[in-house]
Amino acid sequence: MTETTSAPAPAVPQQRQIVTAVPGPKSLALHERRTAVVSAGVSSALPVYIERAHGAVLVDVDGNRFVDFGGGIGVTTVGHTEPRVVAAASAQLADVTHTLFTVTPYEEYVQVAELLARHTPGDWAKKSVLVNSGAEAVENGVKIARKHTGRRAVAVLDHAYHGRTNLTMAMNYKAHPYATGFGPFAGDVYHAPNSYPYRDGLSGDEAAARTIGYLEKVVGAADLACLVVEPIQGEGGFMVPADGFLPALQRWCTENGVVMIADEIQSGMARSGSYFASEQFGWEPDLVLSAKGIAGGLPLAAVTGRAEIMDASHAGGLGGTFGGNPVSCAAAVAVFAAIEEDELLAEARRIEASLTAGLERLAEKHDVIGDVRGKGAMIAIELVRPGTRETSKTPYPEAVGELVAHAAQHGVLLLSAGTYGNVLRFLPGFAVTDELIDDALSVLDDGLSALAR
Ligand code: PMP
């Protein structure tokens, strides 16, 4: 008999280390191959090709190690290759890889729906449908709300991001790069003002009155099926709404028979320091959308909410071949277990305290940092041109570009965001230690000093 045991994967030291130019020669060679066969429409923020990842660190094919503050855009919340997630997914892969829940069901799908019913806000009967991606969850949330209400219109907020499918392209605020040239788009989508305290200076009640005024005037509640809102806007730049804004919108929706949907695709699954960020604003949405962090890196997304709304669809109206795949579901069950066992909500709050304190120290030193904001492991800085912090708060996107490049050269992976491209965001997994945060902030400090020169 041949030995089939494979060598254990090499350990990944939890430290940054750059040993070649970034990108290194092997990444450059792979990039050349990729350019020949991968659509130019798919870009990469940092074209270093990753070979291994564990905890908070990515290792590229040239042996460079990056401390990861992107987490695949907020996906590897429990850490890269989290052992319990890997074990659960591997075991499931060997047991049943696929049957299709709409043909022959399996327990793991039901377990995920039970966990979502337990952990999403609101003390009422809830049901879920599982799908593959965030955008697909948004699409399904809208379908369900339309079916439940019998109404046509969909409202979103300025600065929103909801995906790259046809309907969600129409729901995004920014045309470029998401929608440019890809029309025609879905109709009946309305963009209402949001709450952006740093720039609008409005209280939650004032901002809600403005949003409601727009919806009543431009759409009319009688035609509005749903209002879809990210409790903390992600791609838009981590806007934390003013207190009271979200509950006021929910009250108006409830009074007017409008389904209010929380897009918690980026902010959910423990990222913000509670299971779902809505909780922190006193908001109990009718429907909640999850994706990204829910399965530790495997594709899975969900629409969860009030049973009477979720049951509006006729049988066969919801589903899809890979939605709620058993391997993704097994991984998700392990993610929920890891959140409980490792008290990861507290870890998110630790990360918020360290990052916020460190970034506020940097803001005292560098006047291009206009705002430090966010919750849990979802923190950002908004950069403004020198000398404009107290006046016009003029966006400074070039600084974000330079800082992201500087950080990458020094082994720290940071992401940009923001309607004006002037937001630098931190979306680490919970494996990031305070030491790694301090280390990354010292790299950022040097980058900010280099900007000033
Ligand atoms: N909604 C929000 C708030 C998101 O952040 C994203 C992804 N960045 C999406 C929807 C779309 O998710 P996906 O890329 O999985 O389709």
Side-chain angles (χ1 to χ4, degrees), residues 73 132-138 161-165 168 172 230 232-235 263-267 289 291-292 300-301 425:
I73 314 200
N132 301 291
S133 68
E136 205 188 346
V138 177
Y161 178 80
H162 297 293
R164 283 186 170 87
T165 56
T168 55
N172 298 335
E230 298 158 84
I232 301 173
Q233 293 183 313
E235 305 304 306
D263 178 344
E264 292 252 20
I265 287 163
Q266 194 160 152
S267 59
L289 312 178
K292 290 195 184 278
L300 187 67
R425 59 177 154 169

Side-chain angles (χ1 to χ4, degrees), residues 213-300:
Y214 174 93
L215 294 174
E216 286 181 337
K217 190 73 58 206
V218 178
V219 194
D223 276 329
L224 187 58
C226 58
L227 170 61
V228 186
V229 174
E230 298 158 84
I232 301 173
Q233 293 183 313
E235 305 304 306
F238 287 18
M239 279 78 112
V240 178
D243 278 349
F245 177 70
L246 296 169
L249 293 184
Q250 179 66 63
R251 273 195 302 280
W252 179 83
C253 285
T254 304
E255 282 161 14
N256 290 281
V258 176
V259 177
M260 191 164 167
I261 304 180
D263 178 344
E264 292 252 20
I265 287 163
Q266 194 160 152
S267 59
M269 288 308 297
R271 161 105 7 227
S272 69
S274 48
Y275 262 99
F276 290 89
S278 308
E279 292 166 48
Q280 301 199 30
F281 301 102
W283 177 26
E284 294 186 334
D286 297 311
L287 302 183
V288 175
L289 312 178
S290 322
K292 290 195 184 278
I294 191 170
L298 280 106
L300 187 67

Side-chain angles (χ1 to χ4, degrees), residues 371-390:
D371 196 22
V372 178
R373 58 178 180 248
K375 298 223 181 256
M378 187 172 184
I379 305 292
I381 51 176
E382 176 159 354
L383 289 131
V384 293
R385 289 198 185 280
T388 70
R389 181 155 77 175
E390 311 304 333

